[in-house]
């Protein structure tokens, strides 16, 4: 116990800077995948058959394979196949991870969006049309909020999952919090063979997902004024 | 002059003929009831009038203006169709109120959006908004919903929802107000309150087309009744002619289910 107290300041500093990378990956993924998901959703609902087919196959592949494999493919593929490692240095690793995460999460989001869009009854659109509204007005004034209400609960689920999925980036040596925790088991900054820092990372995830749960719950309640 | 003239409307969905050669005319202030069994094309016909479906043949004229002519290739511009639609109002069987707006918001929304297209909107914004709000409130009061204006649709009964929907349609002052089985989703008690407001509208000489299964109501309120079967008008006339001096066997057969049951 005494030893742990001694190691604590060094470990915490290291975990904090690792968690900063975790947070960065989390937010970059969200910012990229939320709009990209919408593009994929529209692709998968397109009446143009080839586009429709292609997007659905793409979503199937991404959702049907582990994110960890996707990370490795994105990271190693350019170097192995084209003998051109485009992901150079720490920033390169982070970017590769972000690309894999954004694509992966965009596909999951696209399916949620599609459900939300198709879940709004046709009658809503027809009522708007009969009242002389334009398609644009119907989308923004009538359907959008109903879609958002529908997608918030499943999106919350995915977002909480994303918090923990960021840990997969450690497999391509992005220096996020798991990587930082593990380093003390391998030996770093004069500490080696310490397994507790790795266990301690769980606290970070727990607190962060707790904060998100509260925020998303608040949003869900905000939308409860209508049904 | 007739306010509505419908000539030779027909409509196919792939191989099935849903409407066959529908023709009739309606005078201003008249109430037309369309009766007939499910699948006889009544709803499709109303949807054609409201440009939710496009007929394959025929002409639709309102107040002498040709709104639709299948023989003329029209540029189906969205703005054009929107303008034509405003001659008609449509009240749906399932209300289709906008859940995120209050009763008042539902009645006001389309008017507000239309007002934005007025050239003097920016200058008279406040005035126009107040005008729209006053009219919407008056309509809701007329529907007996003076106490319910700030409620959301999920806080209202089915009958109240349908009355909001009627007010919403009336807010745009359509020439002809159409009802697609307005009480079919309601229990008998709620049906009564909705029929009552429709009756009041009829007394005020509102031109209406009502697709309904409420035969007694059609008999009392309509000035004209059409019986449709398999996409055709089998019989039309005054309520007395259709209900009491029925000509066609098929109509008699249909009506007997209501009188015996």
């Amino acid at each position: 116990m005494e030893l742990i107290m001694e190691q604590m300041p060094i470990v915490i500093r290291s975990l904090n800077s690792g968690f900063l990378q975790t947070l960065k990956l989390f937010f970059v993924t969200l910012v990229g995948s939320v709009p990209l998901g919408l593009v994929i959703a529209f692709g998968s609902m397109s009446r143009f058959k080839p586009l429709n087919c292609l997007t659905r196959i793409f979503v199937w592949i991404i959702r049907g394979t582990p994110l960890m494999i996707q990370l490795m493919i994105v990271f190693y593929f350019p170097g192995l196949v084209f003998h051109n490692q485009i992901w150079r240095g720490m920033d390169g690793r982070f970017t590769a991870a972000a690309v894999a995460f954004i694509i992966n999460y965009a596909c999951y989001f696209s399916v949620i969006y599609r459900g939300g869009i198709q879940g709004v009854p046709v009658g809503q659109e027809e009522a708007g049309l009969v009242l002389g509204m334009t398609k644009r007005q119907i989308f923004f004034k009538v359907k959008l909020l109903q879609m958002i209400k529908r997608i918030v609960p499943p999106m919350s689920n995915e977002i909480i999952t994303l918090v923990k999925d960021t840990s997969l980036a450690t497999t391509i040596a992005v220096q996020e919090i798991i990587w930082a925790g593990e380093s003390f088991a391998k030996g770093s900054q004069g500490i080696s063979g310490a397994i507790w820092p790795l266990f301690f990372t769980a606290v970070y995830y727990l607190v962060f997902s707790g904060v998100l749960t509260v925020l998303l719950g608040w949003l869900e309640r905000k939308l409860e004024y209508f049904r | 002059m007739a306010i509505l003239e419908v000539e030779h409307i027909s409509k196919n969905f792939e191989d099935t003929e849903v409407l066959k050669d529908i023709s009739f005319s309606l005078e201003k202030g008249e109430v037309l009831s369309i009766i007939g069994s499910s699948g006889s094309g009544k709803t499709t016909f109303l949807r054609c009038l409201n440009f939710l479906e496009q007929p394959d043949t025929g002409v639709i004229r309102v107040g002498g203006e040709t709104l639709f002519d299948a023989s003329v290739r029209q540029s189906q511009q969205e703005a054009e169709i929107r303008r034509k639609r405003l001659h008609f109002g449509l009240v749906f069987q399932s209300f289709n109120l906008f859940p995120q707006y209050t009763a008042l918001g539902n009645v006001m929304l389309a008017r507000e959006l239309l007002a934005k297209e007025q050239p003097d909107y920016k200058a008279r914004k406040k005035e126009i908004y107040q005008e729209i709000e006053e009219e919407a409130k008056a309509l809701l009061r007329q529907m007996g919903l003076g106490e319910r204006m700030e409620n959301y649709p999920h806080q209202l009964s089915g009958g109240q929802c349908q009355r909001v929907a009627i007010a919403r349609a009336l807010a745009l002052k359509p020439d002809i107000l159409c009802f697609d089985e307005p009480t079919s989703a309601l229990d008998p008690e709620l049906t009564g309150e909705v029929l009552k407001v429709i009756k009041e509208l009829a007394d005020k000489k509102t031109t209406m087309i009502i697709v309904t299964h409420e035969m007694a109501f059609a008999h009392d309120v309509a000035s004209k009744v059409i019986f449709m079967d398999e996409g055709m008008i089998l019989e039309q006339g005054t309520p007395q002619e259709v209900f009491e001096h029925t000509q066609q066997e098929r109509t008699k057969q249909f009506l007997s289910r209501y009188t015996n049951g």
Side-chain angles (χ1 to χ4, degrees):
Chain A
M1 201 60 202
E2 221 168 279
L3 186 64
I4 290 182
M5 291 318 286
E6 233 170 76
Q7 294 169 339
M8 197 64 129
I10 303 167
V11 170
I12 293 291
R13 205 176 320 121
S14 197
L15 291 189
N16 281 351
S17 76
F19 192 59
L20 215 62
Q21 287 297 304
T22 297
L23 285 180
K24 199 171 133 195
L25 184 56
F26 172 82
F27 284 112
V28 167
T29 303
L30 266 194
V31 168
S33 58
V34 164
L36 182 62
L38 201 58
V39 174
I40 297 175
F42 283 126
S44 70
M45 287 187 295
S46 167
R47 261 177 257 162
F48 180 57
K49 268 268 156 27
L51 179 65
N52 183 305
C53 262
L54 229 65
T55 34
R56 279 175 194 250
I57 288 171
F58 183 71
V59 170
W60 169 61
I61 291 171
I62 296 296
R63 291 206 307 163
T65 56
L67 176 52
M68 194 194 275
I69 306 290
Q70 292 164 18
L71 267 170
M72 293 189 175
I73 291 175
V74 169
F75 184 63
Y76 291 114
F77 197 79
L80 286 176
V81 179
F82 303 113
H83 304 289
N84 177 17
Q85 181 47 289
I86 52 172
W87 315 113
R88 285 174 202 281
M90 249 13 266
D91 285 346
R93 286 172 191 274
F94 181 85
T95 312
V99 168
F101 270 85
I102 287 173
I103 293 174
N104 184 278
Y105 270 81
C107 285
Y108 280 96
F109 289 161
S110 79
V111 179
I112 294 175
Y113 292 155
R114 199 174 69 206
I117 292 169
Q118 292 174 340
V120 177
V122 197
Q124 293 290 308
E125 168 130 14
E126 291 183 348
L129 287 175
V130 169
L131 290 166
M133 291 159 76
T134 63
K135 295 240 177 193
R136 213 186 135 78
Q137 289 170 338
I138 292 169
F139 182 81
F140 285 105
K141 297 283 180 179
V142 175
K143 286 162 77 174
L144 186 61
L145 198 59
Q146 297 182 46
M147 286 173 198
I148 292 173
K149 185 183 167 74
R150 267 160 228 269
I151 66 171
V152 165
M155 285 293 277
S156 302
N157 251 332
E158 287 302 323
I159 289 169
I160 299 290
T161 305
L162 172 60
V163 174
K164 295 158 290 166
D165 271 1
T166 53
S167 62
L168 288 170
T170 199
T171 55
I172 57 167
V174 172
Q175 297 184 359
E176 45 69 77
I177 188 167
I178 296 285
W179 188 90
E182 256 183 335
S183 70
F184 293 106
K186 293 171 186 156
S188 163
Q189 299 172 68
I191 301 171
S192 73
I195 198 77
W196 73 267
L198 184 58
F199 292 173
F200 193 71
T201 60
V203 176
Y204 285 78
Y205 288 108
L206 200 58
V207 170
F208 185 48
S209 60
V211 170
L212 284 176
T213 305
V214 170
L215 281 177
L216 292 165
W218 171 81
L219 181 61
E220 217 172 301
R221 273 195 308 282
K222 269 267 151 189
L223 290 168
E224 252 166 28
Y225 74 92
F226 72 90
R227 250 173 246 161
Chain B
M1 190 184 58
I3 187 150
L4 174 66
E5 293 162 282
V6 173
E7 288 167 14
H8 310 299
I9 292 287
S10 67
K11 170 81 186 163
N12 297 317
F13 285 128
E14 277 156 27
D15 290 339
T16 40
E17 280 186 277
V18 191
L19 296 174
K20 300 171 199 163
D21 199 23
I22 303 287
S23 299
F24 69 88
S25 69
L26 196 64
E27 299 295 322
K28 198 167 164 35
E30 270 193 316
V31 175
L32 166 67
S33 268
I34 304 180
I35 58 171
S37 51
S38 301
S40 58
K42 309 179 301 280
T43 295
T44 306
F45 175 68
L46 279 194
R47 291 173 62 86
C48 284
L49 283 185
N50 284 277
F51 295 89
L52 291 176
E53 307 283 355
Q54 198 180 336
D56 296 325
T57 69
V59 180
I60 298 170
R61 270 193 291 271
V62 172
E65 181 195 354
T66 303
L67 293 191
F68 177 82
D69 187 345
S71 64
V72 181
R73 277 193 70 87
Q74 287 161 317
S75 54
Q76 293 293 356
Q77 296 270 316
E78 196 191 5
E80 186 91 345
I81 294 176
R82 275 177 60 217
R83 193 185 58 77
K84 290 174 176 176
R85 268 194 181 117
L86 292 174
H87 288 285
F88 295 93
L90 179 59
V91 173
F92 298 86
Q93 179 178 346
S94 50
F95 330 135
N96 296 347
L97 290 180
F98 306 134
Q100 71 269 45
Y101 293 96
T102 60
L104 185 61
N106 265 279
V107 180
M108 290 176 65
L109 180 64
R111 275 288 302 277
E112 283 178 68
L113 294 173
L114 272 178
K116 285 185 183 165
E117 292 169 25
Q118 289 175 16
D120 60 347
Y121 176 73
K122 282 229 168 77
R124 300 181 47 231
K125 212 169 174 175
K126 267 221 169 100
E127 233 176 293
I128 290 175
Y129 181 86
Q130 272 175 358
E131 205 176 288
I132 293 172
E133 188 177 24
E134 278 318 307
E135 283 185 31
K137 283 182 174 172
L139 277 170
L140 283 168
R141 272 185 228 111
Q142 188 189 333
M143 294 294 130
L145 294 167
E147 309 293 309
R148 292 294 191 174
M149 294 186 192
E150 296 306 325
N151 285 115
Y152 288 92
H154 77 271
Q155 299 165 323
L156 301 173
S157 72
Q160 289 168 335
C161 281
Q162 194 58 299
R163 285 182 283 150
V164 174
I166 295 171
R168 181 175 72 171
L170 284 170
L172 294 170
K173 306 188 181 78
D175 295 319
I176 299 152
L177 184 54
C178 304
F179 295 82
D180 184 13
E181 300 191 25
T183 60
S184 294
L186 304 174
D187 69 34
E189 209 168 327
L190 299 178
T191 296
E193 65 184 52
V194 170
L195 294 182
K196 188 172 147 262
V197 300
I198 300 177
K199 173 100 174 49
E200 285 165 10
L201 291 174
D203 293 340
K204 287 187 182 159
K205 295 290 168 205
T206 312
T207 314
M208 294 187 281
I209 301 178
I210 307 169
V211 167
T212 186
H213 290 298
E214 300 286 331
M215 293 306 143
F217 178 75
H219 188 284
D220 294 346
V221 171
S223 39
K224 187 170 182 176
V225 176
I226 283 178
F227 173 70
M228 274 180 73
D229 190 52
E230 293 182 353
M232 278 184 296
I233 295 181
L234 272 196
E235 196 151 351
Q236 58 177 313
T238 63
Q240 285 72 31
E241 284 167 346
V242 174
F243 288 111
E244 278 134 44
H245 308 285
T246 317
Q247 303 294 316
Q248 304 283 336
E249 262 320 299
R250 178 70 188 91
T251 319
K252 281 181 192 165
Q253 195 192 348
F254 174 78
L255 289 174
S256 71
R257 279 178 237 262
Y258 285 90
T259 42
N260 297 342

